Amino acid sequence: MTTTSTTILLHERGTTGFRRLGLAMWCTGLATFVLVYAVQGLLPTFATEFGVSSGTSSLALSATTLTLALAVVPLSAVAESWGRARVMTAALTASAVLGLVAPLAPTFGVLVAVRALQGIALAALPALAMSHVSREVAPRHLGGAMGLLIAGNTIGGLSGRLIATAVADLAGWRVALLVVGLVSLACTVAFRLLLPPSVAPAVPARRPDLRLHLRDPGLQCLFGIGFLLMAAFVTVYNYLGFRLLAAPFGLPATLVALIFLGYLAGSYASTAAGRLGDRFGRPRVLWAGIAVAVVGAWTTAPAWLPAVLAGLVVLTVGFFAGHSLASSWVGRRSSLLEGGSPAVASSLYLFGYYAGSSVGGTVGGMAYDHLGWAGVVGYVTVLLLGALALALRLATRERR
């Protein structure tokens, strides 16, 4: 641990507290994203089972991310003063219980409603997790620690998709969602056992100043980057399964589910990008990550399976590198504002991030339904170039 100017002992890399905190946060990301994104691999199944279009089937995912986006700011604003560990435990438990209810849904509308409630239950969790890491870890190790949290998000997203798709192929989507709910519940127990006592002082209850954070030009750029990156990323993963199931690929559903193994590259990229950002500067690594994602999107364009898979991996690496840098930058920049709050700034970033998943992913479905994969590639490219423009603007403002 290290002593700061206010004699607060923060976790240093290599200490027991740092390792326990990292593992607990990894479990948080795993529990959250195994629930949120488990249905992504089941979208073609929902389209067939309930007789809806590919765009409509994406509501099973978009409903969760939309309600999460809408609730993340107000819940995060008050949850910080209730105790971060207590609120994170309650959020994980409630969402896991709802995960056990989802398989009982008799209609697609009911399933969407339960998924929307899960988004509300999870709303305070991501921002609190980011804020907890920002407050508990020594600043020089923040990038690596945040990367570990996002690595848990990555593995959770991968596990949820693979587990749900594999189990659904054997026993149906209802059993698949039941298994996912049980996995999330187990991660919740592990999180509570691993989380070390807080070393940062309690935050006094106060009304958050959202306008302070929304007026800051640098944070504006970061919020926009989160929206655009996630909109691009979720669009590709939402609809690539439909493309691979159809001609000329015609792959079986079990093999299509393996595309989510690309998330393993994202897990490595998030931790590596955090450390590279700490060493070489966030702007350079952020630009590089977004540029890599653009290359990956275009590599998926040909109707040739090796190119599609390679492009997916490259896109995943670029996305997680960019997201890791942007999310850690939010907490750091907000702490430099007079009256700034990392929790509030993180919640606003996550509002943009999940709004990108919900709104951007749904619009991406329209592009796919009307223009095919060429429309998806064009749409994703526009989003990523917008994120790159904001990243360049952010670097200019940082230099000033």
Side-chain angles (χ1 to χ4, degrees):
M1 296 186 179
T2 186
T3 305
T4 68
S5 58
T6 54
T7 70
I8 300 170
L9 297 176
L10 300 179
H11 295 297
E12 292 272 12
R13 185 187 307 280
T15 63
T16 301
F18 185 93
R19 287 192 292 269
R20 287 185 59 189
L21 177 64
L23 288 173
M25 292 298 101
W26 189 86
C27 289
T28 300
L30 182 64
T32 301
F33 281 82
V34 76
L35 284 175
V36 172
Y37 289 104
V39 298
Q40 195 170 45
L42 301 177
L43 297 184
T45 300
F46 293 152
T48 302
E49 177 91 7
F50 297 105
V52 297
S53 68
S54 57
T56 301
S57 71
S58 71
L59 292 176
L61 174 59
S62 297
T64 307
T65 54
L66 178 61
T67 53
L68 198 161
L70 293 175
V72 66
V73 175
L75 285 181
S76 298
V78 296
E80 177 93 3
S81 61
W82 295 345
R84 293 188 297 271
R86 184 184 303 112
V87 174
M88 286 190 286
T89 303
L92 285 170
T93 303
S95 59
V97 170
L98 286 168
L100 300 177
V101 172
L104 304 177
T107 65
F108 185 67
V110 173
L111 176 63
V112 170
V114 173
R115 295 279 301 165
L117 290 175
Q118 276 186 308
I120 297 173
L122 288 168
L125 183 61
L128 281 180
M130 291 170 63
S131 173
H132 194 71
V133 172
S134 297
R135 291 183 180 276
E136 299 284 321
V137 173
R140 62 178 171 274
H141 301 308
L142 180 57
M146 195 68 75
L148 189 58
L149 169 61
I150 294 174
N153 298 350
T154 308
I155 298 299
L158 168 64
S159 301
R161 291 163 170 93
L162 289 178
I163 292 171
T165 307
V167 175
D169 193 46
L170 295 173
W173 67 269
R174 296 182 187 276
V175 176
L177 292 186
L178 174 63
V179 172
V180 166
L182 291 172
V183 169
S184 181
L185 191 60
C187 290
T188 301
V189 174
F191 158 77
R192 199 66 189 90
L193 294 175
L194 286 168
L195 188 68
S198 177
V199 295
V203 178
R206 63 177 182 177
R207 183 178 179 180
D209 189 351
L210 297 179
R211 291 176 298 177
L212 172 69
H213 300 82
L214 291 172
R215 284 197 302 260
D216 180 70
L219 288 176
Q220 289 172 2
C221 292
L222 288 167
F223 299 156
I225 289 169
F227 177 92
L228 294 170
L229 285 178
M230 189 55 171
F233 181 71
V234 80
T235 293
V236 171
Y237 272 92
N238 270 3
Y239 305 107
L240 185 58
F242 288 96
R243 184 191 185 198
L244 295 179
L245 288 169
F249 301 102
L251 298 178
T254 304
L255 288 180
V256 170
L258 297 180
I259 66 172
F260 297 118
L261 288 173
Y263 264 55
L264 293 174
S267 178
Y268 171 78
S270 60
T271 53
R275 293 177 182 176
L276 289 173
D278 290 339
R279 184 175 179 182
F280 298 109
R282 293 181 180 89
R284 292 187 182 91
V285 183
L286 179 57
W287 300 337
I290 298 173
V292 166
V294 174
V295 172
W298 278 93
T299 306
T300 67
W304 185 47
L305 187 59
V308 172
L309 298 180
L312 185 67
V313 171
V314 172
L315 173 82
T316 303
V317 167
F319 165 76
F320 277 103
H323 172 46
S324 177
L325 266 296
S327 59
S328 64
W329 202 337
V330 165
R332 182 69 171 165
R333 184 173 179 89
S334 65
S335 65
L336 300 177
L337 298 176
E338 184 176 353
S341 166
V344 173
S346 295
S347 68
L348 289 170
Y349 174 83
L350 290 169
F351 169 79
Y353 180 81
Y354 288 110
S357 176
S358 180
V359 177
T362 301
V363 174
M366 297 177 187
Y368 179 74
D369 287 338
H370 292 90
L371 300 173
W373 195 252
V376 169
V377 172
Y379 171 68
V380 166
T381 300
V382 171
L383 294 173
L384 292 174
L385 290 178
L388 184 58
L390 289 177
L392 293 170
R393 181 185 177 193
L394 173 63
T396 300
R397 293 190 174 277
E398 285 280 310
R399 285 195 295 268
R400 291 176 182 174

